Amino acid sequence: MGWESFYNITFLQEYLLIAVGGYVGCLFADSLAMLASAKTKSAVIAVLVPCAVIFIPPLLNITPMVPAVEKLIGILPHQLVQIYSVINGLYIYQAAGRYTGAVEILLVLYPVLCIALLPATYMIFRRGEEKSFASPR
């Protein structure tokens, strides 16, 4: 079942990676939705952002493309919600002479991005709130 995996992990570890990957993926999509909602003040755009983040990249992966773009698509946030295929696939990246798998990149990059989006979302929301209280009704 997972014999061709790059990772030497147990079924429990695989289950935990799948659960954490799905959680982080949903958390990142929700963080982007909050940012879009605060910026645009539109519920429609806030609903479309997570859908676009999760559903559009797999559609781009259907067509044959340049290997560099294919590598980039391998670390987009939609991979977090389908991390089972990342665990069992051969997604290997090289940076500064060091090889790493996509799971490590995904599980480090997107929690950091979620944390980085929080202050930005708060500041945008706060600025919009101050403007609405400052203007006469």
Side-chain angles (χ1 to χ4, degrees):
M1 185 143 133
W3 61 270
E4 72 274 358
S5 177
F6 173 71
Y7 304 97
N8 184 16
I9 57 176
T10 65
F11 287 121
L12 177 63
Q13 291 168 332
E14 184 177 28
Y15 171 76
L16 291 174
L17 279 175
I18 291 168
V20 169
Y23 178 73
V24 170
C26 291
L27 191 65
F28 180 72
D30 293 341
S31 297
L32 282 180
M34 286 191 305
L35 181 66
S37 176
K39 189 71 174 163
T40 63
K41 311 261 188 290
S42 170
V44 174
I45 293 176
V47 169
L48 290 176
V49 166
C51 293
V53 167
I54 302 293
F55 295 122
I56 290 178
L59 294 175
L60 296 175
N61 205 13
I62 292 173
T63 60
M65 60 183 74
V66 181
V69 175
E70 191 173 335
K71 286 284 194 184
L72 176 68
I73 287 178
I75 56 171
L76 289 179
H78 77 284
Q79 295 287 32
L80 286 165
V81 295
Q82 60 183 14
I83 203 159
Y84 178 76
S85 65
V86 176
I87 292 170
N88 290 320
L90 193 59
Y91 296 95
I92 299 174
Y93 295 87
Q94 179 186 9
R98 184 171 181 268
Y99 291 95
T100 186
V103 174
E104 292 94 349
I105 294 171
L106 291 169
L107 292 180
V108 170
L109 176 66
Y110 288 104
V112 169
L113 288 176
C114 288
I115 292 169
L117 286 176
L118 285 175
T121 303
Y122 178 76
M123 289 173 32
I124 291 170
F125 178 74
R126 189 58 136 173
R127 216 175 315 139
E129 192 176 73
E130 288 171 0
K131 286 181 185 177
S132 67
F133 284 127
S135 64
R137 293 182 184 204

